[in-house]
Amino acid sequence: MCFEDLEHFDKFDDTEVYWVDVSGVPERLVEEAKRIDGADYSGECFGVCIQRDKKNGKFGVIEDSPGHSLYYVDNLGYKHWLDYRLTGQEMEKIVGKIRMFIEGECGAEQ
């Protein structure tokens, strides 16, 4: 699974939440999304949600329920959380891209 784009982010007092569009989703989940959305299916509607603790800088994946860290947004805008847990390698890649964004944003503020 690969980072495609940072859809948006939210900043709170103690955390930041990053909503990330992803590609390279396993075929079984593509098929599940096709069942959800039928003819309106789009391969560009998968995402993950990553949280960063501002105090210690640590990142973690947000799950809707245990083991459900990937979502598909249907044609009506509803998120369907799928039975998938990010691997360590996928998390590293995504966090690396988020770090680049954070560094770029901080550089722009100076």
Side-chain angles (χ1 to χ4, degrees):
M1 190 170 315
C2 299
F3 177 103
E4 282 299 314
D5 194 21
L6 180 61
E7 179 186 336
H8 70 276
F9 63 94
D10 302 298
K11 290 187 175 191
F12 302 102
D13 290 338
D14 56 350
T15 61
E16 297 168 343
V17 177
Y18 297 90
W19 298 88
V20 177
D21 296 335
V22 296
S23 63
V25 173
E27 188 60 31
R28 71 177 177 84
L29 299 171
V30 168
E31 292 303 317
E32 189 172 341
K34 286 179 179 179
R35 281 192 296 279
I36 290 167
D37 231 6
D40 293 313
Y41 166 79
S42 172
E44 297 177 0
C45 293
F46 291 97
V48 296
C49 186
I50 306 295
Q51 176 177 299
R52 178 179 172 262
D53 185 307
K54 286 183 176 180
K55 292 177 186 158
N56 62 23
K58 291 187 180 181
F59 289 87
V61 65
I62 294 176
E63 296 182 333
D64 183 57
S65 62
H68 291 77
S69 60
L70 174 73
Y71 60 83
Y72 175 78
V73 181
D74 68 20
N75 67 315
L76 298 175
Y78 295 108
K79 283 185 177 71
H80 299 265
W81 292 83
L82 306 173
D83 184 12
Y84 186 80
R85 183 167 277 151
L86 289 177
T87 67
Q89 187 177 26
E90 290 167 336
M91 183 69 172
E92 279 182 38
K93 285 183 193 176
I94 292 168
V95 166
K97 296 286 189 175
I98 292 171
R99 284 185 195 279
M100 289 172 51
F101 168 78
I102 292 169
E103 291 168 7
E105 182 183 62
C106 290
E109 290 177 1
Q110 295 177 359

